[in-house]
Amino acid sequence: MKFLHKAKSERNSKDIEDILLRPTKDRRLLANVPDKEGIRTNVNRRGKHVLENGDNDVSQYMKSNNYGIRYQASYQTEIICWLDNGEKAKFSSRSSDISTTGILLNIENQSLLDVLTSAQKIRLKFEITPGSMPEGYEMKVKLEGKMVRFQKASDNTFLCGLEFVETLAQYANRKKGRYVLMMSSLVLFFTSLLIVLMRTESIIYFEFYKYLYLYSIVTATFLLSRYLFGALYRPMTINPDFTPGVTIIIPCFNEEEWIARTINSCINQDYPVDKLEVIVIDDCSTDNSVEVIKNTIETIHLGAERLKTIERLRYVVQEKNAGKREALARGTKMAKHELIVFVDSDSFLDPFAIKNLVQPFQDPKMGGVSGRTDVANTYTNTLTKMQSVRYYIAFRINKAAEAFFDAVTCLSGPLSCYRKEIVLDNMDQWLNQRFLGQKATFGDDRSLTNLVLKKHRTGYQDSAVCSTIVPNTYSNFMKQQMRWKRSWLRESIIGGRFMWKKEPLMSLFFYMGFIVPAAAPIIFIYNLIYIPLFHRTFPSTYLIGLLLMSLLMSFTQLLYRKSSTWLFGILFCLYYEVFLLWQMPIAWVTFWKTTWGTRMTPEDIKERNRREEKKRRKFKKSIEVKDEKNRNI
């Protein structure tokens, strides 16, 4: 796995290294930006045959681009060659990089190269290890290829490019696609059927345990409705003639490690040059973020001036640390286009993210849209794998189900788009939000979503994809989840004041979605502590329900992504019940807190100083008590 990109994340840990995909760097700067002068083409030559074999539309063009991305990967590859004389030659080599259409091999000497170039038929055997290519490609491969080019390296070895006779996507679909589809579909069907049958029992015996059975019926209805409407959801197709002006705003605070990658992904978009600008707002970082931002932007300006980057990419440093909302607000006021896109400083956009994200705004009533967020460091450890499954289900199922009713309740921070006029109209209320007398410092995405959702529609575009860095240690993960629960609780209470005005089914699901997690700790204690102790009954029904819930999550992940991470959905559900569930009652009594926990914001610094001062006073008092005792002796 030496070819995987590993980077330490100061925010997450000094000891754990994040493992990310490592695409081979394109020689061209901003390779995806359309060239109005026609000096270069945006079509990836490795995926070009996709366009030749299909309709030359936008979806095929995006597919060809994704197929052509090369990833650095060192696989032990067995090569079998059939020669003119009928003999077979077999030898091994190690790969340098791979795409879905071909592989680059390191060939040791001229004689082996001669065998390759003269072979009538070539078969390759290798294993795609998890994390070396996008999720879903991990598998053992045995397919034919053909020699397309070779180049002599400085160490007298040869780099040989071989093209697969079928793409890895086609191979995966042929070898495991239909089996995965059949297995996951059957499990999901019988799991859903079992849930319905169990809740039918709740209706039959309802009069004996009214509140408990009512909760179980509400939970099952809410859960199955999410998966049903999530399955019915379809993203809007791209209208190539719809390209409204877009300003991307990146707020940054102490993100020196990832901010360069974020900036490059935002400016390197397949979108009209004169309709896209990027503004970076640094919120007075205390690390080297400003220097990294400056160097990154200068490099882009110098290397791609022809693409109008000087007028389209700029940055501002806040005079003092004012918070994420203030940074976003400043960028919004500076924006010159009608749509604004908020991107977190540790999130990386797919080259076609903006083109996809704007499509729902063809509806004039649409006020905001969320894209899909995947986990960038999925294969770092067990925790990040669990989060990868959780993220995918949260977006592809939960947000998709809400989008079915045009009422997405959280336009997530990593990638979201709004009409600028709506943000400006609600800016004062957003910036000065207070709850129970305390200024709101986090949950900016949920807060702004509520303000937009009051009078407008909100949507979700699954084809607009970004990836983000998630916590890789349990301590930071727990702090993040506590912050999210506090903001969820606050904004759910606020949203509950107007959600009843929305579409009836959506309103019903919203209030169900509030009751189910809020009451979950009580139900847990009742089923796993009270009933076994006082009724001498094993809580089999409750435990079976948890198992069925985890199976729904895991096999939905397997159905859509065909990823080896699906098992971690079951593990996440267990982790949630044992640990995360108990954050809810804590959130109920502490949601007035304004600290982030995962980074040193001004509020966190104040809290740290208060704690240190409290320790100093306690220590001073203990010394005084000890001195008093000594004097008495």
Side-chain angles (χ1 to χ4, degrees):
M1 299 297 288
K2 66 180 180 180
F3 283 92
L4 292 178
H5 175 67
K6 299 185 177 182
K8 292 186 179 180
S9 174
E10 181 180 353
R11 186 185 64 251
N12 292 338
S13 175
K14 288 290 186 182
D15 301 317
I16 298 177
E17 295 179 330
D18 283 311
I19 299 176
L20 291 82
L21 288 173
R22 191 179 180 186
T24 301
K25 190 174 181 180
D26 198 304
R27 293 188 296 271
R28 303 169 299 170
L29 188 63
L30 306 186
N32 296 293
V33 177
D35 186 357
K36 297 181 75 173
E37 299 177 15
I39 296 176
R40 67 182 192 189
T41 177
N42 286 40
V43 177
N44 192 309
R45 62 179 174 83
R46 294 175 187 84
K48 191 175 181 180
H49 70 279
V50 175
L51 295 176
E52 296 170 349
N53 299 334
D55 296 329
N56 192 7
D57 59 13
V58 177
S59 62
Q60 289 294 322
Y61 168 61
M62 291 191 295
K63 184 184 292 187
S64 73
N65 182 278
N66 290 330
Y67 277 8
I69 297 174
R70 292 181 297 157
Y71 300 94
Q72 294 188 36
S74 179
Y75 305 142
Q76 187 66 29
T77 306
E78 182 179 313
I79 306 165
I80 305 172
C81 298
W82 281 262
L83 306 177
D84 288 336
N85 57 12
E87 294 183 358
K88 281 198 305 184
K90 183 188 294 186
F91 60 95
S92 295
S93 176
R94 189 159 284 277
S95 67
S96 177
D97 64 47
I98 188 172
S99 70
T100 61
T101 60
I103 190 169
L104 187 65
L105 297 175
N106 293 292
I107 304 302
E108 294 180 357
N109 53 56
Q110 183 68 49
S111 60
L112 293 179
L113 176 65
D114 293 339
V115 171
L116 266 181
T117 53
S118 62
Q120 295 297 305
K121 180 181 174 182
I122 302 173
R123 178 172 294 167
L124 306 167
K125 292 182 181 180
F126 57 91
E127 182 178 358
I128 300 176
T129 52
S132 57
M133 288 191 74
E135 285 189 60
Y137 282 104
E138 52 271 25
M139 59 184 169
K140 291 183 178 180
V141 178
K142 182 180 179 182
L143 52 67
E144 294 180 13
K146 59 181 180 180
M147 185 82 161
V148 291
R149 63 184 177 89
F150 68 88
Q151 176 183 334
K152 191 172 184 178
S154 56
D155 58 354
N156 291 323
T157 60
F158 297 89
L159 293 174
C160 298
L162 283 82
E163 183 180 0
F164 303 135
V165 295
E166 61 179 335
T167 67
L168 288 177
Q170 294 169 331
Y171 178 83
N173 186 61
R174 178 169 60 84
K175 297 296 287 186
K176 66 177 183 176
R178 59 181 179 270
Y179 303 113
V180 168
L181 175 63
M182 183 186 304
M183 180 178 70
S184 55
S185 297
L186 284 174
V187 172
L188 289 172
F189 172 77
F190 284 110
T191 300
S192 301
L193 183 61
L194 277 173
I195 292 174
V196 171
L197 290 175
M198 290 177 66
R199 296 295 68 86
T200 302
E201 181 188 39
S202 299
I203 295 173
I204 295 173
Y205 297 103
F206 183 78
E207 61 180 295
F208 298 103
Y209 298 98
K210 292 182 180 179
Y211 296 112
L212 179 63
Y213 285 147
L214 177 61
Y215 178 85
S216 66
I217 292 169
V218 169
T219 301
T221 303
F222 175 74
L223 183 67
L224 292 178
S225 71
R226 297 296 85 188
Y227 285 91
L228 172 62
F229 289 109
L232 293 175
Y233 161 85
R234 294 293 181 273
M236 285 193 67
T237 56
I238 290 180
N239 175 3
D241 297 323
F242 184 74
T243 53
V246 175
T247 297
I248 300 176
I249 300 168
I250 309 171
C252 177
F253 179 71
N254 288 358
E255 204 68 73
E256 62 178 320
E257 184 172 5
W258 304 114
I259 187 62
R261 183 169 177 172
T262 301
I263 293 171
N264 277 290
S265 74
C266 288
I267 195 66
N268 189 24
Q269 287 291 304
D270 189 300
Y271 205 76
V273 169
D274 56 346
K275 292 188 176 181
L276 179 70
E277 67 169 344
V278 178
I279 303 174
V280 185
I281 307 293
D282 183 88
D283 195 24
C284 202
S285 294
T286 56
D287 63 358
N288 292 321
S289 292
V290 175
E291 189 68 22
V292 174
I293 292 170
K294 179 182 177 183
N295 292 338
T296 302
I297 292 179
E298 286 179 353
T299 300
I300 294 173
H301 284 171
L302 290 173
E305 184 180 354
R306 187 172 58 82
L307 299 175
K308 300 182 179 179
T309 54
I310 294 178
E311 57 193 77
R312 296 194 304 121
L313 176 60
R314 48 193 167 137
Y315 74 99
V316 172
V317 180
Q318 298 268 66
E319 292 76 14
K320 64 177 183 177
N321 185 283
K324 185 178 180 181
R325 296 193 194 200
E326 293 286 350
L328 291 171
R330 182 166 183 177
T332 302
K333 293 174 183 176
M334 294 171 60
K336 66 180 181 181
H337 294 303
E338 64 266 33
L339 294 181
I340 54 172
V341 172
F342 294 157
V343 175
D344 282 349
S345 54
D346 59 353
S347 298
F348 323 121
L349 304 193
D350 176 87
F352 303 97
I354 299 301
K355 182 174 286 187
N356 280 283
L357 188 62
V358 302
Q359 296 307 311
F361 288 97
Q362 294 177 68
D363 177 1
K365 295 181 181 179
M366 188 63 66
V369 175
S370 174
R372 189 181 91 215
T373 301
D374 290 340
V375 173
N377 54 333
T378 294
Y379 292 96
T380 299
N381 54 28
T382 297
L383 176 61
T384 56
K385 291 173 186 175
M386 289 195 297
Q387 291 178 81
S388 178
V389 180
R390 174 58 183 143
Y391 265 67
Y392 188 77
I393 298 301
F395 282 85
R396 182 56 188 86
I397 298 300
N398 295 338
K399 286 194 194 303
E402 293 177 337
F404 193 84
F405 301 97
D406 292 325
V408 176
T409 55
C410 180
L411 305 178
S412 300
L415 178 60
S416 56
C417 184
Y418 304 86
R419 293 191 190 275
K420 184 174 75 171
E421 60 179 327
I422 296 176
V423 177
L424 291 175
D425 290 343
N426 292 279
M427 186 167 288
D428 288 341
Q429 189 175 351
W430 184 47
L431 291 177
N432 301 305
Q433 181 187 14
R434 304 187 76 84
F435 192 74
L436 297 181
Q438 296 290 327
K439 182 177 175 62
T441 59
F442 51 76
D444 50 276
D445 48 4
R446 283 190 178 273
S447 175
L448 184 56
T449 302
N450 266 340
L451 293 172
V452 175
L453 193 52
K454 280 183 181 179
K455 299 179 181 179
H456 307 274
R457 296 173 179 172
T458 54
Y460 167 67
Q461 185 73 341
D462 187 67
S463 54
V465 183
C466 78
S467 57
T468 193
I469 303 297
V470 299
N472 59 22
T473 64
Y474 288 95
S475 59
N476 276 336
F477 176 65
M478 294 296 285
K479 291 175 183 177
Q480 180 204 62
Q481 293 299 303
M482 177 57 74
R483 185 177 76 243
W484 285 4
K485 281 184 175 61
R486 287 171 178 151
S487 65
W488 172 83
L489 182 59
R490 181 189 73 213
E491 297 305 326
S492 293
I493 293 172
I494 294 172
R497 299 171 187 169
F498 64 83
M499 282 301 296
W500 59 272
K501 300 177 183 178
K502 297 293 181 178
E503 200 278 335
L505 266 182
M506 178 60 208
S507 300
L508 178 63
F509 293 143
F510 174 85
Y511 294 111
M512 282 182 174
F514 179 74
I515 294 170
V516 169
I522 299 172
I523 301 300
F524 182 96
I525 293 172
Y526 182 83
N527 279 283
L528 293 184
I529 298 177
Y530 177 80
I531 288 182
L533 287 178
F534 294 95
H535 292 274
R536 298 293 189 271
T537 303
F538 186 75
S540 56
T541 302
Y542 181 77
L543 293 176
I544 291 173
L546 291 181
L547 174 62
L548 295 176
M549 178 182 69
S550 66
L551 289 176
L552 274 181
M553 172 182 283
S554 292
F555 279 91
T556 299
Q557 167 86 353
L558 180 62
L559 176 65
Y560 282 108
R561 303 209 83 170
K562 300 176 178 61
S563 170
S564 59
T565 59
W566 67 275
L567 278 169
F568 292 90
I570 298 174
L571 190 58
F572 176 82
C573 289
L574 177 63
Y575 184 83
Y576 182 91
E577 290 295 320
V578 176
F579 297 104
L580 297 181
L581 184 69
W582 306 105
Q583 288 186 323
M584 186 58 69
I586 298 174
W588 273 104
V589 296
T590 61
F591 62 87
W592 44 267
K593 284 194 172 184
T594 56
T595 54
W596 278 63
T598 54
R599 62 175 67 204
M600 295 309 294
T601 66
E603 294 297 327
D604 289 84
I605 294 173
K606 289 178 184 177
E607 179 66 20
R608 183 190 63 185
N609 292 339
R610 281 195 294 267
R611 289 179 180 176
E612 290 177 353
E613 180 61 29
K614 186 177 180 180
K615 287 181 180 179
R616 281 195 294 267
R617 287 199 302 267
K618 188 176 181 179
F619 178 75
K620 184 179 179 180
K621 187 174 181 179
S622 66
I623 294 296
E624 291 174 351
V625 170
K626 190 178 292 185
D627 290 343
E628 182 66 26
K629 286 182 178 180
N630 291 335
R631 283 196 297 269
N632 291 335
I633 292 173

